[in-house]
Amino acid sequence: MAFYRYSLPLLPLPALFLALLTEPGWTLQLPWLLLGGLWGMDELRQTFLLLTALLWTVAGVFATGYLKDRHLGRFWVFWVLTLAGNLGLTVAFDVASFYSFFALMTFAGYGLVVHEGTNEANRAGRVYLAMAVVGEMAILAGLLMAFSAAGSLLLAELPAAVASSDRRWLIMLLLLTGFGVKAGLPLLHFWLPLAHPVAPTPASAVLSGAMIKAGLLGWLVTLPIGQVSLPVWANLLVVLGAVGSLGGAVLGVRQMRPKAVLAYSSISQMGLMTLMVAGALASQAHSGAILAVLGLYVLHHGLAKGSLFLSTAMSLPSGRWQRMLMWLLIAMPGLALAGLPFTSGAMAKLAMKDVLAPSGLDFALAEYLPVLMTAGAIATMLLVWRFLWAFGARAHTGGNARGLWLGWSLATASSLLVFWWLPLPSGLPAKAWVSAMLDQAWALVWPVIVATILAGLVWRINRRGK
Amino acid sequence: MTSGALLPFFALMSSLLASVVIFALPERMHRLRVLINLGAAGVKVLLVGVMIWGISEGQQYELAFDMVPGVQFVLRADALSMLFAGLSAVLWLLTTIYAVGYLEHSPNRSRFFGFFSLCVASTTGVALSGNLFTFFLFYEMLTLSTYPLVVHRGTEKALKAGRNYIIYTLTGGAVLLLAIAWLHGLVGDLSFREGGHFADVDAALHGPLTIIFILLIAGLGVKAALFPLHGWLPQAMVAPAPVSALLHAVAVVKAGAFGIVRVVFEVYGLEAANAMGLLFGLALVAAFTIIYGSVRALYQVDLKKRLAFSTISQVSYIVLGLCLLGPVGAAGGLVHLVHQGIMKITLFFCAGNYAETLGVHRIDELDGAGQRMPGTSLAFTLGAFGMIGAPPLAGFITKWTMGTGALAAGMDWVLLVLVTSSMLNAAYFLPILHRLWFAGQHEPWPHERRWGRLETSGWLLWPPVVTAVLMVVAGLFAAMPFSPLAWVQLIVAREVAL
């Protein structure tokens, strides 16, 4: 039992070292694997690998304190398989390996979702699995068509082939849908608010922080980004992104349980990232810069969301000052999501605003992007308030196991501090840096203030109602 | 006659002789019988292995003589026959091990193993036949030698299933004989030849050849369980598990499918069959059978019945692959001959293990079986995921290759069939997996037996574990030489010069 428990945080370490210590550009030839394998790491994948490995590590630390002995072995097996899938798909350069790891992550993830064995977990598991299978099949069909167009199993060759294929719209539809299930795209998201909250908390953290990003990575490596300008698809994705970011918030503030609020917040955040995918599809010239910012956003959101999920299982200390400090540390990653200055979120939001400026993009809905981003920031802050309220309503006072303390502190520290020393994608717009945060402090802060006032009003009205 | 010509003969004889000797052995000589069984199976694997090596080096093995003037008996080992012979040799060995454990202490073992070996001899004959006439001989011998196995238990239900089986297959055989005789009258003795015989056939013959093709497929389609000729198969599941495993997942249904491969590739020729417009109809029948079998499987509550309908669905993949008019699609279909065999035999072994160890036959009795029988359940899980086509298992290689072939042939609709079938497979396999691993056992096993340290008898446990490993290897290392995929690509390079 001790082996199962204490090996959890060690397993992702090799991948973490790979992401931190190696320069992007290495590849590994595995000609005997499947239909011919090639693994490697480029800049985009380095960011994803970094997030994935880091989050799985801290969630693993947390899990050592969180898990009970019952079914520990089973949990370990599914944790390891899901982890292998999530890390593997990040470094896969060939279609067969990528799809294999993706499927491994999806199917093994079921074991994490239904682990608790409650009726609710089983129901969530059924929905998860049904939608995942549909997603896998859409991905399979899309990859098959893209592969047939490219005549090559290398992912890198797919976007150009898709761009010039006469089945382009069908391939794009299949891939957007298939990976969209994982990424929580509106109408494909139903499983997400069911499955993310019912899983054991460390699993929720990696589901919502890291695995959700696998869908996004799937889009980025297969869609014809940077090949042609596709304004129609960009418009469609802007609509979906807007529905996701605002609709996720509308549904999220109605949730009673903190983890459910966070799950909807993930849908909302993925909506904002979908806006960037829209921009990248629309503009050949800016796609490189947008991808860099997207990487930054992925890293920021994954770490913040991981920390928030882990905090849902923490009990509050009884001393007044310790209690306030703890509240602050729980709230900070949330405030980072909302873009408070000097947080990772402020950097991500400023960079995003910069690359999604309408002047650089040429499609019908581009002019609405700034409004959407601001609305998204307000929506995010509202969700954070809701989360804190829901958390406070259920919080216990008492001690926490050592593993919980360590895992949660590491996650929070990663989000708030370590983030600044991580290797960030190169090619970020200069505006993103600290001095810009001072200049733009007001632009960053006022949505937070508006949301806070709104939340306060709603709270008062609710209290009167009682 | 050189030693090369004798190899196919010896491969056939290894199981035929074993059969004769076993029939002669008294019932109580258990050890000797096991020894002969395993020895013969081992020798056969060896012989087939030697031939596979030789063929990859460009050797030919052929044995032919005139039965009556104008009708030849031909045994020939080519790349295609080795695909089937290799599969059945390896799986025979494993099934023999399994059957020894399964039938321990049950009556009439001498009879069982005698007919069992005779079946394998017939299957080898089917694989090695060099012309339609020889093929027919072994094809019928297979029918007759499987009947006693289906009715082995002698119950009312078994006898009824056996009657049904023999009516279906003998009728199919008669139709096949009619077609072969007609073809013989029309164009003479036809040996199997790469590329077929009808590439530039007189257009006046197109009419009769079309009818003959339909008759041939109908005759072969009974064993291959093509809709609407599949009715015997789910009923035949009353047979003991090793019979279901080898004969109904591999030997019998594959003999039908293999016959269709021979007819399409080596009698008519892919191009000629397509030019006569024969393949599209066959593709539709196969596609319908794939969906039909999966939908029916969804409604079965008996584990073996569900697997049987799944077999009906999966065997048609092979037929559908042939109809994809190109080397890639054909490779996808052919490789499934091996992949489906390994995966389905794994699942049947596991179903047998649940029945023998726990007394479980129904799917809703499987709750919590994963904890009680982890090895069996792991093998079952891999088999199920293979069937769904999840990578990196063997079934994925099939689906990927067939999908690529369909797109290359411009038959995009096939992709829809593959995807729908995969989803249905997921729908009827994944709930079983949930029961195995995540549901708690809520009532005692219907009829539990204990075997010391292992979850079940070692004879029963290791065969499915080995086939599950083979299935992973066939998928994970598909790009390696001598993988099923690589071997099939060798065949296709010779067969389909499109």
Side-chain angles (χ1 to χ4, degrees):
Chain A
M1 282 299 167
F3 166 78
Y4 289 136
R5 193 177 292 276
Y6 296 107
S7 60
L8 288 176
L10 303 178
L11 295 163
L13 287 181
L16 188 59
F17 290 137
L18 212 56
L20 283 174
L21 302 179
T22 61
E23 288 293 314
W26 58 264
T27 57
L28 181 63
Q29 299 259 3
L30 304 162
W32 43 266
L33 184 73
L34 286 160
L35 303 160
L38 181 69
W39 299 355
M41 189 175 82
D42 54 16
E43 250 194 13
L44 182 71
R45 286 177 171 87
Q46 183 183 25
T47 313
F48 276 85
L49 188 65
L50 185 60
L51 167 71
T52 309
L54 185 54
L55 197 55
W56 277 90
T57 308
V58 297
V61 174
F62 192 86
T64 59
Y66 182 89
L67 293 173
K68 300 174 190 71
D69 275 344
R70 194 173 137 75
H71 291 311
L72 181 61
R74 187 181 76 187
F75 185 86
W76 187 87
V77 169
F78 287 101
W79 178 274
V80 170
L81 291 175
T82 315
L83 170 64
N86 198 357
L87 291 174
L89 74 91
T90 313
V91 294
F93 273 24
D94 72 288
V95 175
S97 309
F98 178 77
Y99 182 59
S100 298
F101 282 121
F102 199 90
L104 179 63
M105 181 185 82
T106 299
F107 288 117
Y110 176 79
L112 302 180
V113 173
V114 301
H115 178 76
E116 301 287 3
T118 57
N119 286 338
E120 192 195 359
N122 284 337
R123 214 169 23 247
R126 263 201 300 281
V127 179
Y128 169 82
L129 208 51
M131 296 200 66
V133 167
V134 173
E136 292 292 318
M137 290 304 132
I139 294 170
L140 175 66
L143 286 179
L144 262 170
M145 289 183 184
F147 159 70
S148 295
S152 157
L153 273 165
L154 293 184
L155 283 170
E157 316 245 331
L158 296 192
V162 172
S164 56
S165 160
D166 27 314
R167 296 195 185 99
R168 183 170 78 196
W169 73 270
L170 182 58
I171 300 177
M172 288 185 66
L173 186 70
L174 286 167
L175 293 173
L176 272 175
T177 315
F179 291 120
V181 172
K182 196 62 82 237
L185 207 60
L187 301 182
L188 302 172
H189 72 277
F190 299 110
W191 64 275
L192 198 151
L194 300 174
H196 285 193
V198 296
T201 297
S204 302
V206 287
L207 270 162
S208 224
M211 286 159 70
I212 198 171
K213 306 295 191 313
L216 181 68
L217 182 66
W219 285 346
L220 299 185
V221 296
T222 56
L223 293 177
I225 290 169
Q227 302 291 331
V228 277
S229 294
L230 298 164
V232 177
W233 287 99
N235 284 328
L236 175 74
L237 280 180
V238 167
V239 171
L240 286 172
V243 172
S245 64
L246 302 179
V250 169
L251 295 175
V253 292
R254 297 155 47 120
Q255 302 302 313
M256 302 299 289
R257 290 178 303 172
K259 274 176 151 191
V261 179
L262 291 180
Y264 276 106
S265 158
S266 290
I267 295 177
S268 173
Q269 293 291 313
M270 290 310 287
L272 291 173
M273 287 178 240
T274 307
L275 296 181
M276 280 190 267
V277 178
L281 274 175
S283 160
Q284 234 172 317
H286 292 74
S287 62
I290 295 180
L291 286 193
V293 177
L294 200 46
L296 175 70
Y297 205 105
V298 161
L299 196 57
H300 140 69
H301 171 252
L303 294 176
K305 191 51 67 65
S307 161
L308 286 171
F309 260 107
L310 295 187
S311 61
T312 60
M314 299 296 287
S315 300
L316 295 171
S318 50
R320 188 156 165 237
W321 290 107
Q322 290 100 315
R323 208 175 167 87
M324 277 177 67
L325 179 67
M326 181 107 178
W327 268 109
L328 184 69
L329 285 175
I330 289 175
M332 273 311 283
L335 291 168
L337 285 183
L340 198 74
F342 308 112
T343 61
S344 58
M347 181 174 177
K349 294 240 157 163
L350 285 178
M352 180 177 168
K353 239 177 208 164
D354 195 56
V355 289
L356 288 190
S359 55
L361 299 170
D362 183 28
F363 62 100
L365 296 178
E367 54 180 308
Y368 299 103
L369 286 174
V371 184
L372 281 174
M373 283 185 271
T374 308
I378 296 175
T380 306
M381 194 58 218
L382 282 173
L383 279 175
V384 171
W385 278 120
R386 178 68 185 185
F387 162 72
L388 292 173
W389 179 84
F391 173 72
R394 303 181 149 223
H396 300 282
T397 303
N400 294 299
R402 230 176 331 170
L404 296 189
W405 274 122
L406 191 59
W408 174 74
S409 325
L410 283 174
T412 309
S414 304
S415 166
L416 300 177
L417 299 173
V418 180
F419 175 82
W420 300 102
W421 282 276
L422 291 176
L424 299 174
S426 61
L428 290 172
K431 272 197 164 175
W433 298 102
V434 179
S435 63
M437 282 182 208
L438 284 173
D439 299 343
Q440 310 234 356
W442 177 242
L444 288 167
V445 167
W446 77 259
V448 174
I449 296 176
V450 169
T452 307
I453 293 171
L454 272 174
L457 281 174
V458 172
W459 186 67
R460 279 193 68 131
I461 292 168
N462 270 350
R463 259 176 57 134
R464 288 246 177 95
K466 285 174 190 165
Chain B
M1 207 188 278
T2 65
S3 70
L6 285 175
L7 273 177
F9 178 71
F10 285 146
L12 186 63
M13 274 311 174
S14 63
S15 22
L16 206 57
L17 277 179
S19 161
V20 174
V21 174
I22 289 166
F23 273 129
L25 277 184
E27 183 70 26
R28 65 193 152 70
M29 298 187 71
H30 174 66
R31 276 163 188 277
L32 186 59
R33 188 168 53 235
V34 170
L35 204 67
I36 293 172
N37 258 321
L38 292 180
V43 166
K44 189 184 197 99
V45 169
L46 214 65
L47 286 171
V48 171
V50 170
M51 285 194 285
I52 286 178
W53 177 254
I55 285 167
S56 74
E57 302 279 297
Q59 298 239 27
Q60 289 272 349
Y61 304 101
E62 186 170 323
L63 169 75
F65 56 86
D66 281 345
M67 298 275 282
V68 287
V71 179
Q72 266 201 320
F73 180 90
V74 186
L75 281 185
R76 193 178 59 205
D78 56 16
L80 184 56
S81 48
M82 281 306 107
L83 189 69
F84 192 29
L87 175 75
S88 50
V90 172
L91 296 187
W92 182 38
L93 178 58
L94 291 167
T95 314
T96 305
I97 296 171
Y98 187 84
V100 170
Y102 190 89
L103 292 172
E104 219 169 18
H105 310 305
S106 74
N108 298 323
R109 276 176 290 172
S110 198
R111 184 183 79 195
F112 179 88
F113 280 106
F115 281 114
F116 196 71
S117 296
L118 203 57
C119 275
V120 178
S122 321
T123 310
T124 314
V126 164
L128 294 171
S129 302
N131 62 12
L132 269 176
F133 173 74
T134 320
F135 178 88
F136 177 76
L137 283 185
F138 287 113
Y139 190 78
E140 287 305 287
M141 189 168 125
L142 182 61
T143 304
L144 298 176
S145 56
T146 38
Y147 172 77
L149 297 175
V150 174
V151 300
H152 180 74
R153 290 208 171 116
T155 59
E156 183 98 16
K157 219 170 140 199
L159 288 172
K160 187 162 164 272
R163 226 170 12 251
N164 208 339
Y165 172 66
I166 210 84
I167 291 171
Y168 265 97
T169 44
L170 285 185
T171 315
V175 173
L176 186 61
L177 181 62
L178 175 72
I180 292 173
W182 190 354
L183 195 63
H184 191 268
L186 210 60
V187 289
D189 194 24
L190 292 182
S191 65
F192 297 138
R193 189 174 76 186
E194 279 149 12
H197 291 273
F198 298 147
D200 33 37
V201 75
D202 189 355
L205 286 177
H206 278 191
L209 283 179
T210 303
I211 301 172
I212 292 173
F213 185 82
I214 293 170
L215 290 175
L216 285 171
I217 298 298
L220 295 164
V222 171
K223 281 214 174 79
L226 279 180
F227 180 88
L229 310 170
H230 62 277
W232 61 273
L233 197 141
Q235 288 194 31
M237 287 303 132
V238 298
V243 177
S244 309
L246 181 63
L247 303 182
H248 297 136
V250 187
V252 177
V253 290
K254 292 292 160 57
F258 187 73
I260 295 176
V261 174
R262 286 281 198 203
V263 166
V264 172
F265 278 177
E266 305 206 322
V267 177
Y268 278 67
L270 196 58
E271 216 165 339
N274 185 43
M276 287 181 232
L278 301 172
L279 291 183
F280 187 66
L282 187 56
L284 286 185
V285 173
F288 183 81
T289 311
I290 289 175
I291 303 296
Y292 172 83
S294 298
V295 171
R296 287 295 303 274
L298 212 46
Y299 292 98
Q300 306 303 318
V301 289
D302 183 276
L303 182 57
K304 275 177 85 183
K305 278 257 170 77
R306 187 172 284 192
L307 294 181
F309 277 105
S310 165
T311 302
I312 293 173
S313 167
Q314 295 277 339
V315 171
S316 280
Y317 273 77
I318 303 167
V319 181
L320 184 58
L322 304 186
C323 303
L324 294 180
L325 299 184
V328 189
L334 281 177
V335 81
H336 204 50
L337 195 95
V338 177
H339 288 165
Q340 194 268 350
I342 314 173
M343 297 190 291
K344 194 41 76 60
I345 206 167
T346 309
L347 293 172
F348 271 116
F349 282 154
C350 295
N353 284 1
Y354 292 130
E356 273 302 281
T357 317
L358 307 176
V360 164
H361 298 272
R362 291 164 54 92
I363 287 160
D364 55 10
E365 296 168 334
L366 278 171
D367 287 4
Q371 206 152 25
R372 170 66 178 78
M373 300 180 69
T376 303
S377 299
L378 186 62
F380 190 91
T381 304
L382 287 170
F385 273 114
M387 284 291 170
I388 295 167
L393 306 173
F396 165 70
I397 302 295
T398 301
K399 274 187 188 150
W400 185 264
T401 318
M402 276 183 72
T404 313
L407 289 172
M411 294 165 82
D412 294 19
W413 61 271
V414 170
L415 214 56
L416 193 65
V417 174
L418 293 180
V419 164
T420 311
S421 155
S422 295
M423 282 199 229
L424 289 167
N425 286 342
Y428 64 75
F429 274 127
L430 293 180
I432 304 181
L433 301 187
H434 177 88
R435 282 180 189 283
L436 289 179
W437 297 111
F438 298 106
Q441 185 192 352
H442 46 66
E443 53 191 44
W445 307 114
H447 183 79
E448 190 176 1
R449 292 167 66 191
R450 292 245 168 220
W451 274 271
R453 214 160 40 84
L454 288 173
E455 62 190 58
T456 180
S457 151
W459 295 90
L460 299 179
L461 177 60
W462 295 116
V465 169
V466 170
T467 50
V469 170
L470 285 178
M471 182 181 73
V472 175
V473 169
L476 211 50
F477 304 113
M480 300 266 275
F482 290 100
S483 77
L485 184 67
W487 189 256
V488 157
Q489 279 161 348
L490 178 100
I491 298 174
V492 166
R494 296 180 184 180
E495 296 282 354
V496 189
L498 278 178

